[in-house]
Amino acid sequence: AALTALLSTSAFVQAASVVTNAPNQAFGTNMSFALVADDFTLVNAYDITSLRFWTLQLSAADYSGSVYWAIYSDATGPDAVVQSGTASPGATPTLTPTLLPNYVEYVFDIPVTFQLAAGTYWLALQNDFLGNDEPAEILWGSISVVGGDNSVYEDFQIVPSEGWTVDGINHAFAILGDRVLPPNPTPEPGSLALVAGGLIGLRL
C-alpha cells in the first residue's frame, strides 16, 4: 500500500473558496435586455462546481425561468468564450431587506463541471437566452465596491450591437469549486529500490 501511494501521479483536489462578492442590496444592472459581465481572477487552477449570483426584482415573474451564462477569457475585457450554457436554476428569496423600495433579493445557483487555469476571466449572465431584449426588471445585484472598468454589458436593444459598454458597477456573485493541486512527482528508480528494500525488511 505504501508503494502504491508513492507511485501515484494523479492530481487531487483540495476544498477552497474561489470567488465571493457579497451583495449590498443597493442597486444592479438589468440582465434581461443586456448580457452583463464582471471580471474575476484565479491565482490557482480550480475545478468549478457552481456559479452563484444575486438579483434584485420587483416581481418573481421577472425571472424567465432560465439563465444564459458564459465564462470569457480576458483581453482588457471579455474576449473568447471558454465555457457557456443555459440553465434553469431556482430563484430563492434571501429574505434580506433591500435598499431599493419594493425590490426583493434572490439568489441563484447554477451547477457546472469544468476546470479553469489560473488567470483573469469574466462571468457573463443574461435572463433567458442570449440576445433576449424583454423589458423584465431583473437586476444583477451590486456589491459595495463601485467604479472602474471591471464590469461591462452588451445591450441587445441596440441593433446592430455596439459591443461591450463599461458599466462601472461591481456585481454580486460567487464561484464555488475545489483547488487543483499538481500531481505527486514520480520517484527516482533509486528511491523505489529503497522503499522496496524497506518493505522487505519490515516483513522479515
Side-chain angles (χ1 to χ4, degrees):
L3 184 60
T4 301
L6 187 60
L7 289 174
S8 174
T9 59
S10 61
F12 62 97
V13 296
Q14 177 181 339
S17 174
V18 182
V19 175
T20 302
N21 293 332
N24 64 358
Q25 298 89 28
F27 197 58
T29 304
N30 195 329
M31 52 182 282
S32 281
F33 69 82
L35 178 65
V36 186
D38 212 324
D39 66 341
F40 64 94
T41 299
L42 303 180
V43 296
N44 295 289
Y46 287 91
D47 284 320
I48 308 302
T49 58
S50 182
L51 306 175
R52 177 177 298 165
F53 64 96
W54 288 263
T55 66
L56 296 174
Q57 300 169 216
L58 284 170
S59 168
D62 288 331
Y63 169 45
S64 68
S66 65
V67 174
Y68 172 80
W69 63 269
I71 302 291
Y72 287 81
S73 60
D74 176 68
T76 64
D79 187 25
V81 174
V82 176
Q83 298 285 340
S84 66
T86 301
S88 299
T92 304
T94 65
L95 305 181
T96 301
T98 72
L99 299 179
L100 290 179
N102 303 319
Y103 279 77
V104 176
E105 182 184 67
Y106 294 84
V107 62
F108 297 77
D109 278 289
I110 301 175
V112 294
T113 304
F114 57 83
Q115 188 174 115
L116 291 178
T120 298
Y121 300 91
W122 294 76
L123 170 63
L125 299 171
Q126 184 169 19
N127 183 35
D128 206 0
F129 56 89
L130 183 63
N132 174 37
D133 60 359
E134 293 297 323
E137 186 78 1
I138 174 170
L139 307 180
W140 184 359
S142 60
I143 66 174
S144 297
V145 179
V146 296
D149 59 353
N150 50 356
S151 63
V152 295
Y153 65 90
E154 186 173 10
D155 189 343
F156 292 102
Q157 290 183 322
I158 300 175
V159 180
S161 173
E162 295 181 348
W164 297 106
T165 300
V166 173
D167 190 358
I169 298 174
N170 292 270
H171 296 95
F173 67 97
I175 296 177
L176 311 180
D178 301 290
R179 180 182 171 187
V180 178
L181 299 181
N184 295 326
T186 303
E188 296 294 330
S191 300
L192 291 177
L194 289 174
V195 171
L199 292 176
I200 294 172
L202 288 175
R203 295 186 63 181
L204 297 175

